[in-house]
Amino acid sequence: MRKIIIAIDGYSACGKSTTALEVARVLNYRYIDSGAMYRAVTLYFLDKHVALTNPREVSRALQEIKVSFVVNSKGISEVFLNGINVEKEIRKMRISENVSQVSTIREVRLAMVEQQRRMGKDCGVVMDGRDIGTVVFPQAELKIFLTADMLVRAFRRQKELLQHDDLVDIDTIIENLQQRDSIDSNRAESPLRKADDAIGIDTTHITIDEQVDEVVRLALAKMILQPKPKA
Ligand code: CDP
């Protein structure tokens, strides 16, 4: 069967990462969490006190950053920043509170998109994010756009944060999600939007298994039906 690129975009906490990870496992594809890359950059910028409004300083800092993924013993891909596992650290609220601002910076986007394209060049990839179907892989064979009601998203995120021992009240989470939705959708560079050829899935009332099944079904249809590219 032909290997394809699956792009999963959408708002925070709609189940993108969980769906993408499981779809990749079922299809034996590589999973790339593009949001984790922006989160790792944010962690570095915060720790090094990089002035976000100074493009020179940003560019210099970007040259010092190496973001990579390593698959752990459970088969789950974890993000490393300059050789250090930062998977836990990047999920904390202090990163969520700053990541969307960092993600508006042109230099940051150029560097991340270049790396993401390199990671996907051999196909057989599921990548989730905000601009995967529109900017990173506009040629992706399958594009999914996930949405869900705000309250459902907030409770899902709260549960996820608790798993990382981060107890955050629901109002703070809603505020953060709304703020990020707004920055992500209104930024000048690669704003979050549904690609014209993306398939929308509202995850408010469906389970993770149902989401995964639906995406796998759509992917298999593409893998079987898609004609091979001309040599
Ligand atoms: O996990 P969650 O859905 O909350 O977010 P994420 O996928 O980890 O992404 C964190 C932030 O990174 C988003 O709110 C965006 O500001 C930014 N991002 C982006 O700009 N482009 C992407 N392809 C992925 C994430």
Side-chain angles (χ1 to χ4, degrees):
M1 258 191 289
R2 185 179 169 217
K3 294 218 170 211
I4 62 170
I5 293 178
I6 302 172
I8 303 184
D9 287 305
Y11 299 94
S12 304
C14 289
K16 291 187 308 293
S17 302
T18 320
T19 307
L21 178 68
E22 192 53 21
V23 169
R25 201 188 57 75
V26 172
L27 298 176
N28 199 17
Y29 272 27
R30 180 162 186 212
Y31 165 54
I32 297 161
D33 175 355
S34 71
M37 299 169 71
Y38 291 95
R39 285 175 179 269
V41 170
T42 303
L43 173 64
Y44 186 89
F45 282 11
L46 287 181
D47 287 355
K48 300 281 176 189
H49 306 285
V50 174
L52 302 185
T53 49
N54 183 335
R56 267 217 199 151
E57 212 174 298
V58 165
S59 295
R60 202 175 321 125
L62 282 169
Q63 283 172 10
E64 294 162 0
I65 297 178
K66 187 173 181 306
V67 180
S68 53
F69 291 94
V70 176
V71 179
N72 70 15
S73 56
K74 291 182 187 147
I76 294 169
S77 170
E78 294 184 322
V79 69
F80 281 63
L81 172 64
N82 293 338
I84 293 167
N85 186 335
V86 291
E87 186 58 41
K88 226 174 151 155
E89 199 58 35
I90 60 163
R91 307 291 165 193
K92 295 197 170 152
M93 265 315 260
R94 78 176 183 111
I95 304 299
S96 296
E97 280 162 2
N98 291 280
V99 63
S100 285
Q101 206 53 50
V102 170
S103 302
T104 62
I105 303 171
R106 186 178 155 74
E107 290 77 8
V108 172
R109 302 211 70 81
L110 289 175
M112 293 303 109
V113 169
E114 193 201 326
Q115 191 174 341
Q116 288 153 10
R117 287 190 180 141
R118 249 185 288 129
M119 290 169 159
K121 76 173 173 10
D122 299 325
C123 291
V125 160
V126 186
M127 193 177 290
D128 77 321
R130 303 292 186 286
D131 58 344
I132 312 305
T134 51
V135 175
V136 181
F137 297 123
Q139 81 284 17
E141 289 85 351
L142 179 60
K143 299 181 187 177
I144 304 289
F145 193 86
L146 297 185
T147 55
D149 287 354
M150 178 52 85
L151 208 52
V152 169
R153 291 167 57 197
F155 280 120
R156 284 179 186 163
R157 183 45 47 95
Q158 191 181 45
K159 204 169 140 197
E160 199 178 299
L161 283 164
L162 261 182
Q163 284 164 2
H164 293 282
D165 303 321
D166 209 358
L167 175 59
V168 185
D169 69 86
I170 204 74
D171 289 338
T172 305
I173 295 176
I174 291 176
E175 205 179 306
N176 174 256
L177 294 180
Q178 284 173 335
Q179 200 176 19
R180 276 201 290 143
D181 284 357
S182 167
I183 300 176
D184 293 348
S185 306
N186 295 307
R187 67 186 176 212
E189 295 287 331
S190 323
L192 167 63
R193 68 168 183 85
K194 179 175 175 288
D196 295 337
D197 51 350
I199 297 166
I201 302 177
D202 182 341
T203 72
T204 309
H205 301 295
I206 59 174
T207 64
I208 291 289
D209 284 351
E210 287 168 328
Q211 273 165 238
V212 172
D213 286 352
E214 177 67 358
V215 179
V216 168
R217 192 183 62 75
L218 291 165
L220 288 172
K222 292 279 180 190
M223 288 155 75
I224 293 163
L225 294 178
Q226 206 80 32
K228 274 200 158 63
K230 289 196 186 100

